[in-house]
């Protein structure tokens, strides 16, 4: 079955710097890759997703890139702000439509 | 927005007790899921359901069962709770049959098994 690995587990950046979180997946049939953000004490919420027919997608300060050949995808946050501090989860949808999550990255943006 | 409501935010149970975690969604979504969340392990899928009375095992179904008698309600059952089932349990719902659809999560149920 699908296996998703996520790195790093923790990331600390200065406000205004960029943050990059990377994920790899194992099932070459996976074709949908969402990212969820979970603020402290709150439920995870979708922030951006990408499908396998595109290589990059942007939404204001966040972007996701996908390399299907290498089976990895990344989340990029530019001009980080304190409110970006949260746990971020990547995920991949396997061939049976199950969404398999990575282990999460705790991002801390220092003011 | 889909609202996904988990009836209990915090539960404390004893080893061997039968535990029911209830989840209700109010927007007629076909798909419902139960995940457990543990530090450093992310969100792991326990069971999911694409339709009434239908259920599929996720990655960690051992020790759990589910029930979906009505479209809006998806229950997670721990037949005999054990201490290693102490965790945060998240219910989620999504629209559509299969495919790539946004998960809307409930607020979570934090279960402690003593």
């Amino acid at each position: 079955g699908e296996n998703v690995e996520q790195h790093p587990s923790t990331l600390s950046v200065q406000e205004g710097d960029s943050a990059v979180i990377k994920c790899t997946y194992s099932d070459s049939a996976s074709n949908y890759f969402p990212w969820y953000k979970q603020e402290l004490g709150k439920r995870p919420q979708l922030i951006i997703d990408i499908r396998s027919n595109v290589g990059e997608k942007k939404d204001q300060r966040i972007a996701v890139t996908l390399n299907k050949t290498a089976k990895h995808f990344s989340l990029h946050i530019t001009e980080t702000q304190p409110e970006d501090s949260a746990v971020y989860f990547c995920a991949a949808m396997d061939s049976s439509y199950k969404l398999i999550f990575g282990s999460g990255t705790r991002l801390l943006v220092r003011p | 927005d889909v609202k996904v409501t988990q009836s209990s935010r915090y539960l404390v149970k004893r080893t061997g007790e039968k535990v029911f975690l209830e989840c209700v969604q109010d927007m007629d979504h076909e798909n419902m899921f139960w995940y457990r969340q543990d530090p450093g392990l992310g969100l792991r899928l326990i069971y999911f359901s694409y339709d009434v009375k239908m259920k599929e095992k996720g990655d960690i179904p051992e020790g759990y069962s589910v029930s979906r008698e009505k479209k809006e309600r998806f229950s997670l059952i721990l037949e005999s709770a054990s201490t290693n089932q102490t965790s945060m349990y998240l219910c989620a719902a999504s629209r559509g049959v299969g495919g790539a659809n946004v998960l809307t999560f409930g607020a979570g149920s934090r279960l402690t098994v003593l």
Side-chain angles (χ1 to χ4, degrees):
Chain A
E2 176 68 278
N3 182 52
V4 178
E5 295 194 357
Q6 182 172 349
H7 300 281
S9 57
T10 58
L11 180 59
S12 179
V13 300
Q14 195 70 38
E15 182 178 357
D17 287 351
S18 295
V20 180
I21 303 170
K22 299 181 179 181
C23 290
T24 60
Y25 61 98
S26 59
D27 185 351
S28 56
S30 293
N31 59 10
Y32 174 63
F33 307 91
W35 286 86
Y36 283 78
K37 175 184 180 182
Q38 186 178 30
E39 297 176 6
L40 189 62
K42 297 191 176 180
R43 67 196 75 189
Q45 291 193 301
L46 179 77
I47 54 170
I48 195 168
D49 57 12
I50 191 167
R51 295 163 202 269
S52 60
N53 56 345
V54 297
E56 182 174 359
K57 183 177 178 180
K58 290 185 72 172
D59 183 3
Q60 300 183 334
R61 294 186 299 107
I62 60 173
V64 58
T65 58
L66 171 65
N67 183 327
K68 284 223 77 180
T69 303
K71 291 191 280 189
H72 66 70
F73 56 113
S74 301
L75 178 71
H76 303 253
I77 307 174
T78 58
E79 300 172 21
T80 53
Q81 301 168 5
E83 53 264 37
D84 295 328
S85 295
V87 179
Y88 292 81
F89 294 100
C90 64
M93 180 163 283
D94 73 7
S95 50
S96 61
Y97 302 117
K98 293 186 299 184
L99 202 55
I100 307 301
F101 285 85
S103 54
T105 296
R106 184 174 299 278
L107 174 64
L108 173 65
V109 180
R110 305 187 305 275
Chain B
D1 274 357
V2 173
K3 293 232 173 16
V4 179
T5 303
Q6 296 181 231
S7 56
S8 304
R9 288 300 306 273
Y10 301 95
L11 303 94
V12 180
K13 299 291 181 181
R14 296 206 174 273
T15 301
E17 280 193 77
K18 190 169 186 176
V19 181
F20 292 87
L21 299 180
E22 305 287 345
C23 177
V24 176
Q25 51 102 356
D26 66 358
M27 287 294 287
D28 203 36
H29 279 28
E30 290 82 3
N31 312 317
M32 298 190 75
F33 307 82
W34 276 105
Y35 288 88
R36 67 176 277 179
Q37 181 174 13
D38 300 289
L41 297 177
L43 304 170
R44 293 181 293 166
L45 183 62
I46 305 171
Y47 267 97
F48 59 105
S49 170
Y50 290 144
D51 202 352
V52 177
K53 296 192 185 296
M54 177 269 180
K55 59 185 178 184
E56 293 284 346
K57 292 181 180 179
D59 295 323
I60 52 164
E62 297 79 17
Y64 303 95
S65 62
V66 290
S67 172
R68 194 167 181 199
E69 296 296 317
K70 294 184 178 182
K71 191 173 185 179
E72 67 271 18
R73 187 180 297 270
F74 192 36
S75 303
L76 181 68
I77 303 155
L78 288 66
E79 294 289 342
S80 177
S82 63
T83 55
N84 62 12
Q85 292 178 309
T86 291
S87 187
M88 171 68 84
Y89 290 88
L90 289 168
C91 176
S94 70
R95 181 173 50 87
V97 179
N101 300 302
V102 178
L103 290 183
T104 298
F105 283 90
S109 297
R110 183 167 293 283
L111 172 67
T112 300
V113 182
L114 302 175

